[in-house]
């Protein structure tokens, strides 16, 4: 089996292509690396100015080494092999959007540290239980959620209870699965 691309190698290639230092950049795209990135290594800590980091379509299993990313607002980790939210603590006070669709997440433990999170795209994961979805209520700023093709969404969409349950459990949500939420009190104001 071939060795994966390291973050350090991917950043060096990015710098060469972009013609700028990664440490100075506000947006870094390290998606679809060949061979795939397997680990979020310590080289990430050099990205102190990065506001948007894209690591989608790789083979990452764990979220790690986000300590130096003091400006990070958008983290894209879709199409990897991530199983949990642990490791997000260092960006808990800055991250506004987390794109983590097409992974292997079943449990929401650790999501509550993201106090500024407004957008969570996590379609095509493995969430099965309402008790896990309920943990999203710990996110005071969450307004946009996509959970299409998770077992819980599929099951409750079949019996037409998905939207009403989510609207009841997450009262600040404004958009669910790409569709705006219209609440009775919104209609009364208009």
């Amino acid at each position: 089996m071939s060795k994966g691309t390291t973050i350090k190698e991917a950043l060096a290639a990015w710098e060469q292509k972009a013609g700028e230092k990664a440490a100075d950049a506000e947006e870094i795209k390290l998606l679809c690396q060949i061979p795939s990135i397997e680990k979020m290594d310590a080289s990430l800590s050099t990205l102190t100015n990065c506001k948007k980091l894209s690591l989608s379509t790789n083979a990452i299993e764990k979220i790690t080494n986000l300590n130096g990313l003091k400006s990070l607002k958008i983290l894209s980790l879709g199409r990897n092999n991530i199983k949990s939210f642990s490791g997000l603590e260092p960006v808990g006070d800055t991250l506004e959007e987390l794109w983590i669709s097409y992974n292997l997440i079943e449990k929401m433990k650790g999501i509550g540290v993201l106090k500024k999170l407004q957008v969570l795209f996590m379609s095509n994961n493995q969430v099965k239980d309402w008790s896990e979805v309920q943990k999203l209520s710990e996110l005071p700023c969450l307004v946009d959620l996509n959970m299409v093709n998770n077992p819980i969404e599929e099951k409750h969409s079949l019996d037409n209870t998905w939207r009403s349950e989510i609207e009841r459990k997450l009262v600040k949500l404004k958009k669910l699965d790409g569709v705006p939420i219209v609440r009775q009190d919104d209609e009364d104001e208009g």
Side-chain angles (χ1 to χ4, degrees), residues 1-69:
M1 190 168 143
S2 68
K3 179 176 92 67
T5 301
T6 65
I7 297 281
K8 187 175 184 176
E9 293 165 343
L11 285 173
W14 183 90
E15 286 180 337
Q16 193 167 12
K17 187 177 177 185
E20 69 176 305
K21 287 259 182 236
D24 299 331
E26 290 190 1
E27 182 172 354
I28 306 273
K29 292 181 179 178
L30 304 177
L31 39 140
C32 285
Q33 297 294 302
I34 299 173
S36 294
I37 294 170
E38 296 173 354
K39 290 189 171 115
M40 294 172 69
D41 65 44
S43 301
L44 287 173
S45 65
T46 63
L47 306 178
T48 54
N49 289 323
C50 186
K51 292 183 179 175
K52 180 178 180 183
L53 176 61
S54 300
L55 292 166
S56 296
T57 315
N58 279 292
I60 297 166
E61 292 185 8
K62 286 184 180 174
I63 301 170
T64 57
N65 290 303
L66 295 176
N67 299 39
L69 284 86

Side-chain angles (χ1 to χ4, degrees), residues 9 17-18 33 46 79 101 121 134 145 148 160 163 173:
E9 293 165 343
K17 187 177 177 185
Q33 297 294 302
T46 63
R79 297 186 187 277
S101 295
F121 296 152
Q134 188 63 45
L145 173 66
V148 169
N160 288 318
R163 286 191 70 83
L173 214 57

Side-chain angles (χ1 to χ4, degrees), residues 58-152:
N58 279 292
I60 297 166
E61 292 185 8
K62 286 184 180 174
I63 301 170
T64 57
N65 290 303
L66 295 176
N67 299 39
L69 284 86
K70 304 292 183 212
S71 304
L72 194 65
K73 295 193 179 305
I74 301 172
L75 179 58
S76 176
L77 290 167
R79 297 186 187 277
N80 277 288
N81 300 315
I82 296 168
K83 296 180 177 91
S84 79
F85 289 109
S86 65
L88 289 168
E89 298 83 2
V91 294
D93 292 332
T94 60
L95 200 67
E96 295 174 1
E97 298 187 22
L98 179 58
W99 307 347
I100 198 159
S101 295
Y102 294 92
N103 275 285
L104 305 169
I105 297 170
E106 187 176 333
K107 305 283 183 197
M108 299 288 206
K109 184 179 180 194
I111 193 77
V113 300
L114 301 175
K115 296 303 178 192
K116 292 195 174 170
L117 194 71
Q118 298 170 26
V119 176
L120 177 59
F121 296 152
M122 62 171 299
S123 68
N124 298 280
N125 274 281
Q126 302 298 317
V127 179
K128 298 176 178 81
D129 301 319
W130 280 119
S131 61
E132 297 304 320
V133 174
Q134 188 63 45
K135 291 176 184 164
L136 296 175
S137 65
E138 298 171 22
L139 304 173
C141 300
L142 187 66
V143 292
D144 190 350
L145 173 66
N146 188 330
M147 287 191 66
V148 169
N149 295 329
N150 275 272
I152 190 161

